[in-house]
Amino acid sequence: MKVISQIKLPVEKEMELFEKKFFQSMSSKVALLNRITHYIVNRKGKQMRPMFVFLVAKMVSEGTVNERTYRGASVIELIHTATLVHDDVVDDSNRRRGFFSINALWKNKIAVLVGDYLLSKGLLLSIDNNDFDLLKIISVAVREMSEGELLQIEKARRLDITEAIYYDIIRQKTATLIAACCSLGAASVKPDSDEIPKMRRFGELIGMAFQIKDDLFDYGEEKIGKPTGIDIKEQKMTLPLIYTLNNCSDKEKSWLINSVKNHNKDKKRVKEVIVFVKESGGLDYAEKKMMKFQKEALLILESYSSSPYRNALELMVNYVIERKK
């Protein structure tokens, strides 16, 4: 059995019902919108985010979920889908999960409007049901994701990024959404409890480990749908590169910065940068940091009694750093 199927097993029924509710939450009186949302639903990914919501809810409440849990999962998926649609416009990307992106099929203007529509649907789903605590969790995540992206753009221009700033960027850009999923799961079944910040931290740690793993793929040999060296071409400062910049001679440092800034389209030069980062211990360092986040996340889970939900979350934490793509 594939790892994802194993993770999904304890919440399989909930995920089936969620898919129906999620599709309903997207519906509109506009035929064009329905055609596009239908296209989105039929090309769904692994659906890790709703899985987090249900697994956490069931773990902290010893096996129960309620309508708020379903709404929380739908809201997070609506908001996440909205950000992906907008991202593809910003990145001028024609593909998403191997399929044509919305902007490739229906052009940018429609894609932006669809993203706005999904965002508003998510917000209204919470407001109409007085889930203001869940709405706050989501709104904080959206704000942080935007700030993280803008901080990354600002730093990419000057390449003056420290390890601390890098953690700030990935915490906001990537980890905050997984943190929101986990805190939503807890808040849906145990409002105003200590479980909410605890699960938020758990999700944040997984998100940090997830992003560092993504950084490592940029230097890997495996075919993962993202070409090697793409982060360097896009002048993204990732942890292996930051470590190398902070631990090499001034001459090497100026060669590295010059390579990333001015020669990032030169395939030979990008390969040289990748080799240099590997030989300087950049990958080993990033891997150690990733394992540290993973261990801390597993430690939080240990404070809960053993259950199929806790076991599935442990599998998820390990999958994040062992995945091949």
Side-chain angles (χ1 to χ4, degrees):
M1 191 188 268
K2 277 189 167 173
V3 182
I4 296 295
S5 307
Q6 276 179 278
I7 294 166
K8 201 177 192 173
L9 207 58
V11 290
E12 212 159 24
K13 283 199 197 97
E14 286 82 2
M15 288 297 289
E16 275 175 33
L17 184 52
F18 158 75
E19 283 194 23
K20 292 190 187 101
K21 287 176 182 278
F22 179 58
F23 188 58
Q24 285 165 2
S25 70
M26 280 187 172
S27 67
S28 156
K29 292 189 180 82
V30 180
L32 173 62
L33 249 175
N34 284 334
R35 205 155 67 239
I36 296 170
T37 54
H38 193 77
Y39 179 81
I40 291 169
V41 169
N42 286 338
R43 279 146 195 80
K44 60 183 182 292
K46 298 187 192 86
Q47 293 190 304
M48 304 285 265
R49 286 155 195 86
M51 264 190 264
F52 270 122
V53 176
F54 290 116
L55 286 168
V56 167
K58 291 187 95 168
M59 180 181 73
V60 303
S61 68
E62 286 159 15
T64 59
V65 296
N66 55 32
E67 281 303 315
R68 267 165 58 87
T69 318
Y70 285 100
R71 287 198 296 270
S74 291
V75 169
I76 206 95
E77 200 66 350
L78 282 164
I79 304 286
H80 174 59
T81 308
T83 60
L84 293 183
V85 172
H86 282 165
D87 276 354
D88 287 339
V89 175
V90 171
D91 298 338
D92 202 12
S93 174
N94 290 325
R95 313 286 288 184
R96 167 70 62 183
R97 298 182 185 127
F99 297 99
F100 283 115
S101 58
I102 303 300
N103 49 304
L105 291 172
W106 284 282
K107 301 290 178 269
N108 283 350
K109 184 176 182 179
I110 289 175
V112 170
L113 292 168
V114 168
D116 290 346
Y117 172 76
L118 295 172
L119 192 66
S120 67
K121 273 289 199 183
L123 301 177
L124 283 168
L125 186 60
S126 295
I127 292 165
D128 290 345
N129 292 284
N130 294 325
D131 297 329
F132 296 111
D133 55 337
L134 305 187
L135 183 59
K136 186 173 183 183
I137 291 169
I138 295 285
S139 302
V140 167
V142 174
R143 183 197 71 204
E144 290 203 328
M145 282 156 68
S146 313
E147 283 179 349
E149 285 284 359
L150 288 163
L151 180 59
Q152 185 173 47
I153 291 165
E154 180 195 339
K155 293 297 172 187
R157 284 180 180 157
R158 302 216 302 267
L159 297 186
D160 61 339
I161 188 165
T162 62
E163 199 172 318
I165 290 172
Y166 165 81
Y167 291 134
D168 270 350
I169 290 171
I170 67 166
R171 186 185 55 75
Q172 292 182 305
K173 216 184 80 148
T174 305
T176 193
L177 195 63
I178 300 173
C181 296
C182 296
S183 50
L184 269 177
S188 71
V189 288
K190 288 197 166 182
D192 304 319
S193 70
D194 293 340
E195 310 288 356
I196 301 166
K198 190 174 171 183
M199 283 296 103
R200 179 181 170 76
R201 178 65 183 152
F202 168 71
E204 202 170 80
L205 290 161
I206 295 178
M208 303 286 272
F210 182 92
Q211 186 55 54
I212 296 172
K213 179 69 173 180
D214 252 20
D215 290 356
L216 289 164
F217 281 142
D218 204 47
Y219 296 86
E221 308 305 321
E222 293 118 338
K223 292 275 172 281
I224 52 140
K226 168 180 149 178
T228 307
I230 198 88
D231 289 338
I232 295 164
K233 289 186 185 85
E234 291 175 2
Q235 296 187 35
K236 279 184 188 160
M237 296 295 279
T238 59
L239 191 54
L241 188 59
I242 293 162
Y243 172 83
T244 306
L245 279 168
N246 292 335
N247 291 278
C248 62
S249 68
D250 288 346
K251 191 182 172 189
E252 288 165 333
K253 191 173 183 174
S254 64
W255 172 81
L256 259 181
I257 289 175
N258 185 30
S259 302
V260 175
K261 259 196 164 169
N262 305 316
H263 302 279
N264 53 46
K265 303 283 187 284
D266 178 342
K267 282 185 180 169
K268 185 171 170 284
R269 188 77 169 252
V270 168
K271 270 191 178 152
E272 285 169 8
V273 169
I274 289 171
V275 170
F276 184 71
V277 170
K278 280 181 180 173
E279 286 172 355
S280 305
L283 269 64
D284 294 338
Y285 180 78
E287 231 162 70
K288 275 190 200 119
K289 289 289 178 185
M290 177 179 75
M291 309 286 266
K292 188 172 169 283
F293 287 123
Q294 178 218 18
K295 283 196 180 88
E296 214 182 310
L298 289 172
L299 208 61
I300 292 174
L301 289 180
E302 278 174 25
S303 62
Y304 292 91
S305 51
S306 186
S307 69
Y309 322 113
R310 190 189 107 170
N311 299 347
L313 285 166
E314 280 172 1
L315 261 181
M316 184 86 96
V317 175
N318 294 324
Y319 168 75
V320 158
I321 67 162
E322 286 160 12
R323 66 201 165 98
K324 295 285 182 273
K325 59 180 183 176

